[in-house]
């Protein structure tokens, strides 16, 4: 198969899925490009062909893909295009997310080539899996990318990719994530960084202290991008989240790869 283009595609509010996707794309080589589905606003449809490869990365929220990410993945149109599936999760479990990503993309005309479930710093409670993906994860990601590239070279134009089996089951796990209220301190200068970066435009266009809590998806991007560290979750809420996750998230989990 003569691959002409490798495109990394990600919905990545806190940057971890972006980091994983870019690590893989850089190792596959050739002509590369990126599509960022994270930011607000309208975007075009993206069309891919069988002589291209897509590497698609999405974070896991409560064992599922974020609804916003699924909506934006509908903008992708494959034509028997090989795809590398990537999910990042906060050291608990990715549950049905990888299966969901696979099925969304197959329905969009893509052919799963390989898959990765990568541990990343928890977006709400970053004390869990702090600093991940770390150096050890990076080494494993590079090895996975090299194996994926090797598999791609072995696939000829008249050879259909076999079924790629990933973890997950039907019906998908129900998402029970709570909407978390974001506090804004007096140090906020209303610089607009959070307004420009919010994936769902849940922050007032004129006053960054005003939020539409129904629209907010608790992705924590506004906290990550705030230059004055003026945005946070209440201490009480954060303690409750940490207590709930402590048992399942404390031990180090390793990334999983499927080829």
């Amino acid at each position: 198969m003569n691959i002409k283009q490798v495109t990394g595609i990600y919905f990545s509010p806190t940057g971890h899925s972006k980091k994983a996707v870019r690590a893989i794309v850089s190792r596959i080589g050739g002509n590369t490009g990126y599509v960022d589905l994270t930011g607000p606003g309208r975007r075009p449809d993206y069309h891919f062909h069988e002589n291209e490869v897509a590497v698609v990365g999405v974070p896991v929220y409560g064992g599922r893909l974020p609804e916003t990410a699924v909506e934006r993945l509908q903008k992708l149109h494959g034509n028997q295009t090989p795809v590398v599936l990537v999910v990042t999760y906060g050291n608990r479990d990715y549950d049905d997310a990888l299966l969901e990503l696979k099925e969304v993309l197959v329905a969009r005309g893509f052919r799963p080539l390989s898959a990765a479930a990568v541990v990343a710093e928890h977006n709400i409670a970053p004390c869990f899996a702090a600093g991940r993906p770390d150096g050890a994860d990076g080494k494993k990601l590079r090895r996975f990318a090299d194996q994926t590239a090797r598999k791609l070279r072995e696939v000829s134009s008249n050879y259909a990719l076999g079924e790629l089996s990933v973890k997950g089951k039907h019906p998908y796990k129900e998402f029970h994530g709570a909407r978390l209220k974001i506090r804004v301190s007096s140090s906020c200068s209303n610089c607009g960084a959070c307004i420009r970066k919010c994936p769902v435009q849940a922050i007032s266009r004129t006053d960054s202290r005003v939020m539409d809590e129904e629209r907010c998806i608790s992705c924590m991007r506004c906290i990550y991008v705030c230059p004055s560290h003026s945005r946070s979750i209440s201490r009480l809420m954060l303690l409750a989240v940490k207590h709930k996750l402590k048992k399942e998230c404390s031990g180090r989990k390793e990334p999983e790869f499927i080829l």
Side-chain angles (χ1 to χ4, degrees), residues 56-58 65 69-70 73 76 83-87 96-108 112 115-116 166 172:
V56 181
V58 182
L65 301 186
V70 174
L73 290 174
L76 308 182
V83 63
V84 181
L85 313 169
V86 183
V87 296
D96 301 323
L98 200 51
L99 177 63
E100 186 177 10
L101 181 60
K102 172 189 170 181
E103 294 182 339
V104 166
L105 291 175
V106 167
R108 306 305 303 159
V166 301
Y172 298 147

Side-chain angles (χ1 to χ4, degrees), residues 174-235:
E174 291 187 17
F175 176 64
H176 297 293
R179 296 185 184 275
L180 302 176
K181 184 177 178 62
I182 306 297
R183 299 191 312 169
V184 184
S185 73
S186 58
S187 63
C188 173
S189 64
N190 203 32
C191 71
C194 58
I195 297 172
R196 293 189 296 273
K197 295 292 186 178
C198 176
V200 293
Q201 296 183 310
I203 305 171
S204 166
R205 306 300 293 174
T206 57
D207 187 348
S208 58
R209 293 163 292 189
V210 178
M211 290 188 62
D212 183 338
E213 294 180 16
E214 289 300 313
R215 180 175 287 187
C216 175
I217 60 173
S218 300
C219 70
M220 304 295 114
R221 194 179 204 201
C222 63
I223 293 176
Y224 275 71
V225 302
C226 178
S228 59
H229 307 290
S230 301
R231 307 179 74 85
S232 64
I233 305 169
S234 75
R235 178 182 289 270

